[in-house]
Amino acid sequence: MTEIIQKVKNLSIGFKSKKGEEILILRNITTNIKKGETVGIVGESGSGKSTLALAMMGYVKHGLYTIGGECEFNSSNLLKMKNRDLEKIRGRKIAMIPQNAGQALTPNLKIGYQIDEALQLHSDLKEEEREQKISELLNKVRLPSPETIALRYPHELSGGQQQRVAVAMALAGTPDLLLLDEPTTGLDVTTQAHVLELLNFIAKDTGTSMVYVSHDLGAIAQVSDRIIVMYSGEIVLEGPSRDILKKPIHPYTYGLLKSIPKLSLAGLPQSMPGSQPQPGTMHRGCSFFDRCNFSEEKCKNNSPQLEYLEELKTSVRCFNYKSLMNDSQVNQTVNKIKTSLQDKEILNLSEVSISYAKQKLLDQVLNRISDDNPTVKDININIKKGETIALVGESGSGKSTILKSIAGLLRTKGGIIKFDQDRNLSSDLKERDPNDLRIIQLIFQNPDESLNPNHTVEEIIAQPLKLYFGLKGEELKKNIIDLLQKVRLGEFYMSRYPRQLSGGEKQRVAVARAFAAKPDIILCDEVTSALDVSVQAAVLNLLQQLKEDFGTTYIFVSHDLAVVRAISDRVAVLYQGRLCEVGPSKDVYQFPSHPYTEVLLGAVLEPDPDIKPKLVAEDIVEEKPPQKGCSFQGRCSRILGDICKNEVPPWQITNSGNSIRCHIPLKELQKDQIN
Amino acid sequence: MKLDNIYQEEKKSNFAKVAEIIITMASRPSGFIGLSILIFHVVLAFISPYIAPYDFKAINPTLMLQAPSAEYWFGTDDLGRDVFTRTILGGRTALTITFFGSLIALLWGGLLGIFCGLVGGKTDDIVMRIVDAFLSIPWILAMLLIVSLLGTSTEVLIPALGFFYGKGIVRVARAATHDVIAKDFIVSARARGHSNFSIIWNEIIPNVRDAILVEGAMRWSWMLLGFSSLSFLGFGVSPPTPDWGLMISNARGLMSFAYWSVIAPIVGLSSLIIGINLTADAFAKALGIDRSTKAPV
């Protein structure tokens, strides 16, 4: 039997509310971490997963306290240890890799110095040895030319490189246990796949145990041997990773896996009803009761215990797991999206370019624009009424910039945006008349920021109604209730403030506000990426339903290719503000593809241990689009030579109507990509 | 029992909100002391004309510089006037003038700051440079100039003090606005086509109001000190109106043998300033602006 390095026994952590009631964040957690294994802790926000990971290094967040239980490491309870003793363990025996490495690194110290500091604290190496160790560590995390990286400041590195430095620092003390708190969440898709691959390599190479905390089952699937699923402060399912992902025997995990959109399936996944209870909600019965499809009368009043099943090596907290055991696989059923596509063109972008560069004084006087290499260039898209078109790309690809220009928040530098074939929208806000503003509405990524915290739901939804239609009194109220019902929220939500709503509810209010203006086009900027997985599918389904009811056109911006696959009719792939590929979504997801689309598709993380990401290109970050030639030349693995560097590639059209902008003939692209 | 009611507070009336804030303020010792002192002074300012035992301007040469006694609680001054009477009346003018002065400061400083934060660009640049220029002028010199030109009437003092103490509020309001301005709900309101006025009124003010109110409360205590300095220099209230600054100025030469005539107004002035400061601190904490001792969650 392998050695157990961390034992968590009956751990409960909580806080006291203003009224003096004890509110539990973690409830009776018991688990073991064995030497050399990677354990994934997965759960939605508020499920207590980070609190558990922090407790594993003897840290309890300010305001929380240990109510009972212990975290045993090397047969001593970390939670009872004095700070001085903990210092000897943290960094040396247990190391932590934070979510946002950019914020975890000191901005005014060089990378080499910061790693040296970690080495001084956590190892007994002498000065000369340390210098060598630094480049050794940087090499290990596969940073190019360690000597130059060591001399840089954190802001001179990309997000992926910063995360690698954080990994190198954590490895400085050669820890036995590595805790990773959402280490890839803020990164781009391709970078994320590279960092996960690196973590996998390090786990094998050093034999370190890892605890990987994430909300993303896709990421967890790639790294972990064992998975712990948390819900509302409890472990609901724990077992070998393959079994959990292939044959989940807890209704929550089962529903979760069903609600994640997959690349291989077009159409919207089924959503789970409701949302996770707020931390500290007390249940007499099972905490998952009101969202469960398999619940019985007894689940309401009796809470199930974690039961260990010898034959599956799995622990499950459910009375009815047997009914799920027979259901051998997660059979994902999707609601096929109805296309309400009409032939009428509603929005036309031709030769649109947008620049963030400030005009020089001389240029201002002469009223000319000097920037010949704008952030966004040559965007030609026709959008038909009732269509859902998705703009896809990594951060910096210009997708949000294009949305801002359509909404009038950013002036275009060149080109024409036309609405309904005759109305010119190339101007910015001040020059548009109110009706031009009404027809285009925005839904933002983060509902926490897009709803005024000091307004009630009623006030929020009333704003567009008052502004555009001048509604008052009873009529206004009637309209608000009507809109709330459309987004499946009850009338009683009217008096609530955003802080009293869950993430999904907030996003529904934002959707209601957008539809209040009766718009023709809705711009959705990453609308699901701030939401929990189980809520995401519900919001996507709602958007689709509303679209079918109102015949609205969506322009959908996302970095998540699986979400885009689920909801869109057409996809436009952008790199550095230039279009790479445009086509019907089923064709974009098939080969032949533009080499960049190939990279993106390869990097998608699916919650399936058998589908590994394919890493086609390096995860370099380019800051500026190239002056001439193909926008993707810097990272392309199929680069032909001078032609790609000097000439803008032509549009090639495939048999299915997919346009690809590449110098490589389609036949050759297809041949290579399928092998 | 269900605990989720802690997340589901109902919409409260404005009165209930204010009451809750005051209760939160008073629940901390420093807040309680500050509030008590402030309320004491305000109440005193209202009732002092009715409870004053003597006439504040009655000069009596036979009673010059009497030590505190049962008859004259705080003694008498160099003109034989009762110090107790003059002390309880001495805060009235200062409180009134500085209260309205702070309101003016709050209004123009807050609105200008919010406006600059919202529009940005060249307008913001120009306005802020002008504000900077005014900040670099020592206020007391400028005040002396104004007062000597226009006199020391209340109608001059209130707007003049309000103007000079509002400059600092411009900066605070502008910074608070910058915190909110980048949020998507402002972008959303802009994209819908709301006017600048509507954005300021509906979206920004509810979110920066607290920060500006706290700053205004701090300015109040500074203004009080400033006003008393003016009186001390003889440019504030004109005699024989009782005023702490003036009283301190008159009695300071007698400190070595008639300490009572100077200590009483000093205690009055400093306790009021401490009271306002403590209240402003507690106010900031109750609103959650100063998070240093706020409980998590």
Side-chain angles (χ1 to χ4, degrees):
Chain A
M1 196 185 143
T2 33
E3 195 190 336
I4 291 172
I5 62 167
Q6 171 113 27
K7 259 187 205 166
V8 180
K9 262 194 276 178
N10 301 327
L11 180 68
S12 294
I13 288 178
F15 64 93
K16 276 235 163 70
S17 75
K18 270 185 195 163
K19 289 175 197 147
E21 289 152 323
E22 209 161 63
I23 291 170
L24 296 178
I25 299 287
L26 288 182
R27 282 184 271 176
N28 246 339
I29 304 282
T30 303
T31 188
N32 294 323
I33 311 291
K34 295 192 195 95
K35 200 172 165 61
E37 79 172 340
T38 303
V39 178
I41 303 181
V42 69
E44 295 173 73
S45 51
S47 61
K49 54 187 192 306
S50 295
T51 312
L52 175 58
L54 288 173
M56 284 184 181
M57 63 189 302
Y59 181 74
V60 178
K61 268 187 215 154
H62 184 72
L64 299 179
Y65 61 96
T66 319
I67 289 163
E70 47 198 51
C71 277
E72 213 172 79
F73 181 79
N74 282 343
S75 60
S76 48
N77 183 5
L78 293 175
L79 295 169
K80 291 248 166 74
M81 241 183 225
K82 288 199 185 86
N83 272 336
R84 186 170 293 176
D85 299 326
L86 276 172
E87 275 166 21
K88 285 182 197 144
I89 291 178
R90 289 182 186 157
R92 261 175 200 243
K93 303 274 185 200
I94 307 177
M96 173 108 188
I97 296 173
Q99 172 171 359
N100 191 340
Q103 281 177 18
L105 295 169
T106 311
N108 60 348
L109 295 178
K110 287 178 182 157
I111 299 296
Y113 184 83
Q114 297 194 45
I115 299 179
D116 190 47
E117 226 175 10
L119 284 171
Q120 279 181 39
L121 272 170
H122 305 312
S123 72
D124 309 314
L125 297 175
K126 295 204 180 65
E127 203 176 330
E128 316 82 71
E129 292 170 327
R130 285 207 303 266
E131 207 160 294
Q132 212 194 330
K133 183 84 183 170
I134 291 171
S135 49
E136 212 173 277
L137 282 168
L138 289 172
N139 246 328
K140 194 170 218 166
V141 295
R142 298 187 205 151
L143 280 166
S145 55
E147 288 75 21
T148 44
I149 293 270
L151 293 175
R152 295 217 187 138
Y153 289 99
H155 69 266
E156 295 174 299
L157 306 182
S158 71
Q161 287 173 324
Q162 288 173 345
Q163 200 64 49
R164 281 158 203 255
V165 171
V167 175
M169 277 175 79
L171 291 176
T174 52
D176 299 330
L177 177 62
L178 209 50
L179 302 171
L180 304 109
D181 191 0
E182 305 256 9
T184 61
T185 305
L187 305 176
D188 271 325
V189 253
T190 48
T191 319
Q192 186 177 343
H194 276 95
V195 171
L196 285 176
E197 204 250 335
L198 171 73
L199 292 173
N200 262 334
F201 164 77
I202 284 170
K204 283 206 189 75
D205 190 50
T206 58
T208 313
S209 309
M210 288 193 190
V211 172
Y212 190 102
V213 178
S214 180
H215 70 284
D216 184 356
L217 272 168
I220 294 260
Q222 303 310 323
V223 289
S224 34
D225 308 318
R226 201 152 59 87
I227 293 181
I228 296 174
V229 182
M230 293 196 60
Y231 188 79
S232 196
E234 290 175 322
I235 294 179
V236 291
L237 187 63
E238 177 178 358
S241 132
R242 177 169 296 267
D243 293 349
I244 295 223
L245 294 167
K246 294 271 184 187
K247 280 167 75 177
I249 55 169
H250 189 279
Y252 170 62
T253 322
Y254 183 80
L256 203 59
L257 281 163
K258 275 184 120 176
S259 62
I260 298 175
K262 309 239 163 47
L263 268 191
S264 49
L265 275 173
L268 290 165
Q270 285 181 339
S271 58
M272 259 156 103
S275 58
Q276 184 178 239
Q278 297 274 18
T281 318
M282 297 289 260
H283 304 277
R284 220 156 2 126
C286 173
S287 55
F288 189 59
F289 171 73
D290 37 0
R291 300 177 73 187
C292 185
N293 291 329
F294 300 85
S295 57
E296 290 174 357
E297 200 46 42
K298 71 170 169 185
C299 306
K300 194 175 179 180
N301 292 320
N302 304 304
S303 64
Q305 293 302 309
L306 204 59
E307 198 177 320
Y308 183 70
L309 310 172
E310 190 57 51
E311 71 270 32
L312 289 175
K313 294 195 167 55
T314 302
S315 306
V316 60
R317 190 187 289 274
C318 182
F319 294 122
N320 280 338
Y321 64 84
K322 287 211 176 81
S323 60
L324 274 165
M325 272 166 91
N326 304 328
D327 197 354
S328 59
Q329 292 255 329
V330 181
N331 289 320
Q332 193 165 24
T333 46
V334 289
N335 314 328
K336 283 266 184 266
I337 56 167
K338 273 187 250 162
T339 44
S340 35
L341 205 65
Q342 296 169 18
D343 273 341
K344 205 176 137 208
E345 194 174 87
I346 194 161
L347 195 73
N348 181 342
L349 277 70
S350 69
E351 300 291 327
V352 170
S353 57
I354 306 159
S355 170
Y356 280 108
K358 266 201 169 166
Q359 280 176 293
K360 292 191 189 99
L361 190 64
L362 181 66
D363 296 319
Q364 274 181 14
V365 173
L366 297 172
N367 199 14
R368 63 174 190 198
I369 292 158
S370 59
D371 187 14
D372 58 349
N373 195 22
T375 323
V376 171
K377 196 177 165 188
D378 290 345
I379 304 295
N380 291 299
I381 307 174
N382 289 321
I383 298 163
K384 297 213 169 82
K385 193 164 165 50
E387 189 178 27
T388 302
I389 183 163
L391 307 179
V392 175
E394 291 167 291
S395 55
S397 62
K399 48 194 194 315
S400 297
T401 308
I402 296 174
L403 275 200
K404 278 188 194 154
S405 275
I406 298 174
L409 291 163
L410 247 180
R411 182 180 279 280
T412 53
K413 195 196 101 170
I416 295 166
I417 302 174
K418 253 192 200 152
F419 174 78
D420 224 1
Q421 284 157 341
D422 53 354
R423 269 147 85 185
N424 189 347
L425 291 185
S426 313
S427 52
D428 68 4
L429 286 174
K430 286 171 211 148
E431 293 152 28
R432 293 190 186 182
D433 70 62
N435 196 42
D436 285 345
L437 293 169
R438 181 190 61 80
I439 54 178
I440 297 174
Q441 292 293 314
L442 274 156
I443 305 175
F444 294 89
Q445 172 174 9
N446 191 346
D448 285 328
E449 291 219 338
S450 68
L451 305 179
N452 192 330
N454 282 301
H455 286 180
T456 58
V457 170
E458 182 179 2
E459 287 163 334
I460 289 167
I461 302 178
Q463 279 184 332
L465 292 171
K466 281 192 206 158
L467 180 73
Y468 298 127
F469 310 111
L471 296 184
K472 271 186 212 126
E474 275 307 303
E475 209 188 343
L476 177 67
K477 202 167 172 187
K478 213 183 115 247
N479 269 285
I480 295 171
I481 295 172
D482 205 35
L483 281 159
L484 279 175
Q485 273 163 358
K486 289 217 169 77
V487 296
R488 319 267 188 286
L489 293 175
E491 196 184 324
F492 58 93
Y493 278 94
M494 281 185 35
S495 59
R496 301 254 178 107
Y497 286 96
R499 62 171 181 275
Q500 297 165 314
L501 307 177
S502 72
E505 287 167 343
K506 276 182 230 168
Q507 199 60 297
R508 279 162 198 269
V509 173
V511 170
R513 178 175 65 183
F515 272 94
K518 302 201 173 72
D520 294 282
I521 300 170
I522 291 190
L523 312 174
C524 306
D525 193 357
E526 302 262 12
V527 284
T528 58
S529 39
L531 302 177
D532 278 322
V533 197
S534 73
V535 179
Q536 172 178 309
V539 170
L540 288 175
N541 275 307
L542 173 73
L543 284 171
Q544 182 61 28
Q545 186 61 48
L546 290 169
K547 181 187 142 177
E548 283 165 20
D549 293 352
F550 292 94
T552 326
T553 309
Y554 286 142
I555 304 180
F556 201 92
V557 158
S558 182
H559 68 277
D560 187 334
L561 285 132
V563 167
V564 164
R565 170 80 165 139
I567 196 164
S568 61
D569 302 314
R570 211 145 58 99
V571 177
V573 182
L574 285 152
Y575 185 74
Q576 296 278 17
R578 277 93 176 129
L579 284 171
C580 295
E581 182 168 355
V582 184
S585 74
K586 63 176 193 309
D587 298 312
V588 170
Y589 286 79
Q590 272 168 5
F591 296 126
S593 293
H594 188 279
Y596 179 57
T597 319
E598 189 191 356
V599 170
L600 287 179
L601 286 173
V604 170
L605 303 170
E606 300 241 39
D608 186 336
D610 294 331
I611 304 177
K612 293 277 172 215
K614 291 183 273 297
L615 305 175
V616 190
E618 287 301 312
D619 60 330
I620 328 160
V621 171
E622 296 179 281
E623 286 186 353
K624 257 190 174 170
Q627 282 283 352
K628 54 184 181 176
C630 174
S631 61
F632 191 54
Q633 53 175 283
R635 282 172 68 187
C636 188
S637 58
R638 301 178 185 284
I639 190 160
L640 292 175
D642 283 345
I643 186 167
C644 295
K645 287 185 180 151
N646 294 321
E647 282 173 43
V648 176
W651 282 105
Q652 304 186 70
I653 297 169
T654 64
N655 299 333
S656 48
N658 198 9
S659 316
I660 295 172
R661 201 182 214 181
C662 188
H663 285 297
I664 306 169
L666 290 176
K667 276 191 187 144
E668 275 177 48
L669 264 180
Q670 182 151 26
K671 211 165 68 190
D672 275 12
Q673 287 171 333
I674 283 176
N675 295 334
Chain B
M1 198 195 81
K2 282 191 102 185
L3 280 179
D4 43 1
N5 53 354
I6 54 166
Y7 299 99
Q8 301 191 350
E9 36 183 315
E10 285 307 305
K11 190 181 161 116
K12 289 174 190 142
S13 67
N14 286 332
F15 178 76
K17 277 187 208 157
V18 173
E20 194 191 309
I21 289 171
I22 291 176
I23 290 168
T24 320
M25 283 163 71
S27 65
R28 218 181 295 274
S30 64
F32 181 77
I33 295 170
L35 264 178
S36 315
I37 297 177
L38 183 61
I39 291 170
F40 170 77
H41 273 289
V42 171
V43 170
L44 192 66
F46 276 105
I47 62 167
S48 52
Y50 310 104
I51 61 162
Y54 299 94
D55 182 4
F56 65 86
K57 52 182 187 291
I59 298 172
N60 189 344
T62 57
L63 288 172
M64 268 163 52
L65 298 175
Q66 297 267 321
S69 62
E71 206 174 338
Y72 300 101
W73 290 357
F74 290 178
T76 59
D77 66 4
D78 53 347
L79 298 174
R81 298 175 294 193
D82 178 37
V83 176
F84 178 72
T85 306
R86 292 181 63 79
T87 304
I88 61 173
L89 287 167
R92 296 187 80 209
T93 331
L95 256 177
T96 324
I97 287 183
T98 55
F99 179 75
F100 288 106
S102 315
L103 276 189
I104 288 177
L106 209 57
L107 269 179
W108 86 263
L111 288 178
L112 186 64
I114 292 171
F115 179 75
C116 285
L118 176 68
V119 296
K122 287 200 187 86
T123 323
D124 176 46
D125 271 347
I126 293 168
V127 173
M128 289 318 289
R129 291 304 78 76
I130 295 173
V131 170
D132 284 347
F134 272 109
L135 277 172
S136 65
I137 303 173
W139 71 273
I140 197 133
L141 282 183
M143 275 305 290
L144 291 181
L145 186 70
I146 293 174
V147 169
S148 43
L149 285 175
L150 303 171
T152 59
S153 64
T154 318
E155 298 84 67
V156 174
L157 282 172
I158 290 179
L161 283 168
F163 173 74
F164 280 102
Y165 281 84
K167 291 174 306 187
I169 299 181
V170 177
R171 287 208 156 270
V172 173
R174 181 170 168 270
T177 308
H178 279 170
D179 278 351
V180 213
I181 206 84
K183 297 250 168 92
D184 285 339
F185 61 85
I186 307 268
V187 180
S188 167
R190 271 193 180 161
R192 277 199 303 270
H194 284 283
S195 63
N196 270 351
F197 174 77
S198 157
I199 292 179
I200 289 179
W201 188 252
N202 290 317
E203 309 287 346
I204 300 179
I205 287 187
N207 288 297
V208 300
R209 183 189 53 208
D210 295 351
I212 297 178
L213 278 179
V214 168
E215 181 66 19
M218 295 309 280
R219 296 281 152 185
W220 186 16
S221 76
W222 294 354
M223 194 187 283
L224 199 76
L225 193 63
F227 173 76
S228 299
S229 313
L230 278 182
S231 294
F232 182 86
L233 295 174
F235 290 94
V237 182
S238 31
T241 314
D243 177 81
W244 293 329
L246 198 59
M247 286 164 75
I248 296 169
S249 162
N250 286 341
R252 74 185 197 282
L254 320 167
M255 205 153 15
S256 52
F257 54 92
Y259 58 87
W260 52 87
S261 57
V262 68
I263 279 183
I266 285 176
V267 170
L269 180 62
S270 46
S271 69
L272 179 56
I273 289 174
I274 290 170
I276 295 177
N277 275 337
L278 288 178
T279 310
D281 262 357
F283 187 47
K285 283 191 175 123
L287 291 173
I289 292 171
D290 180 351
R291 291 179 194 279
S292 55
T293 53
K294 207 182 171 234
V297 182

